[in-house]
Amino acid sequence: MNTVIQCSYRPARKAKTISSAAVSRQSYHHGDLRQALLAAGVELARDGGPDAVVLREATRRVGVSPNAAYRHFADRDALLVAVSNAALAELATTIDATVALIPDSDSVTVATEQLRAVGTGYVAFALDNPGLFHAAFFVHSDLQQPPHSMSGPSGRSPLELLTDALDRLVSSGAMPASRRPQAEFLAWSAVHGLALLLVDGPLRSLPRDQADAATQRVLDMVEAGFTCP
């Protein structure tokens, strides 16, 4: 007698679907979430300045719950401080890149060109990234001893790059040592003031070539004030 084996069809179990938010939550570990939140905060600042940096929106962009963020940032102000540092680092990176374009020459020429490169990179960054420019200086009341997170590839913050340029101007003999004390504040005030006028002040409608020309004229004034007899 033949044995009949009956096989019943059992449909395969449907695989569980996992939301992208859940994947995101599972993928962050060992500080990755902090960096992801910071990157989201930087992009918020790039688009809308410091006022746009909101912790809840950063968590939404990353794909985690708001509560998850508090393990890395105590509140919105803590995130904004980190974003400000990152913006200063981007500014320092732009200045470093501008300084790197200076050709080899005699010490006086290199020193004066380094000072001008710092100012040129500073204003260019403000024009290209107005949101980050405002965020960079929104939090800090004292940039004299900046953390490393404010630095560019050279390991120097924007203010340190300016002080280095001024020190080199003195060591080259182009600038009398008697003019060095607090010279960074004079140069910074001139360049930062122009940047604000160009970004959202009465000079904001200037075409870029005219804005660049105005930058060089201001730097002419700064250089002359430090080096002329």
Side-chain angles (χ1 to χ4, degrees), residues 22 43-44 48 61 80 83 95-96 98 100 107 109 118 155 157 184 193 200 212-214 222:
E43 291 310 307
L44 289 170
R61 291 193 176 196
L80 188 53
V83 169
I95 295 173
D96 278 334
T98 309
S107 61
T109 299
V118 172
S157 71
E184 57 267 39
D200 51 17
D212 291 341
V222 171

Side-chain angles (χ1 to χ4, degrees), residues 23-203:
V23 172
S24 297
R25 291 189 185 95
Q26 294 173 3
S27 64
Y28 292 117
H29 56 88
H30 303 305
D32 292 348
L33 178 55
R34 186 184 190 282
Q35 286 303 116
L37 290 169
L38 175 56
V42 168
E43 291 310 307
L44 289 170
R46 195 185 306 276
D47 294 338
D51 290 342
V53 180
V54 179
L55 196 56
R56 181 173 293 274
E57 175 60 20
T59 60
R60 188 194 69 78
R61 291 193 176 196
V62 171
V64 297
S65 68
N67 288 338
Y70 294 119
R71 288 176 291 184
H72 304 281
F73 298 102
D75 51 28
R76 183 250 183 185
D77 288 342
L79 175 61
L80 188 53
V81 168
V83 169
S84 181
N85 289 348
L88 283 165
E90 285 203 28
L91 171 57
T93 298
T94 298
I95 295 173
D96 278 334
T98 309
V99 171
L101 297 176
I102 300 173
D104 290 335
S105 186
D106 61 276
S107 61
V108 171
T109 299
V110 170
T112 54
E113 287 302 312
Q114 183 174 340
L115 177 65
R116 298 182 70 93
V118 172
T120 298
Y122 192 98
V123 177
F125 179 84
L127 292 172
D128 294 336
N129 305 278
L132 284 184
F133 179 72
H134 286 306
F137 301 103
F138 183 76
V139 174
H140 299 284
S141 60
D142 184 6
L143 300 178
Q144 291 283 62
Q145 296 179 329
H148 183 72
S149 56
M150 295 181 185
S151 304
S154 67
R156 311 294 281 170
S157 71
L159 181 56
E160 288 173 330
L161 289 167
L162 174 57
T163 58
D164 287 350
L166 290 167
D167 290 343
R168 189 166 188 171
L169 208 60
V170 173
S171 64
S172 72
M175 176 182 177
S178 60
R179 297 180 187 173
R180 178 62 186 87
Q182 298 188 337
E184 57 267 39
F185 302 132
L186 302 178
W188 191 6
S189 297
V191 174
H192 188 80
L194 175 65
L196 290 177
L197 290 171
L198 291 171
V199 168
D200 51 17
L203 300 182

Side-chain angles (χ1 to χ4, degrees), residues 115-116 162 166 169 183 186-191 215-228:
L115 177 65
R116 298 182 70 93
L162 174 57
L166 290 167
L169 208 60
L186 302 178
W188 191 6
S189 297
V191 174
T215 300
Q216 296 309 308
R217 292 292 300 274
V218 168
L219 293 173
D220 288 344
M221 178 187 69
V222 171
E223 179 186 341
F226 291 150
T227 62
C228 284

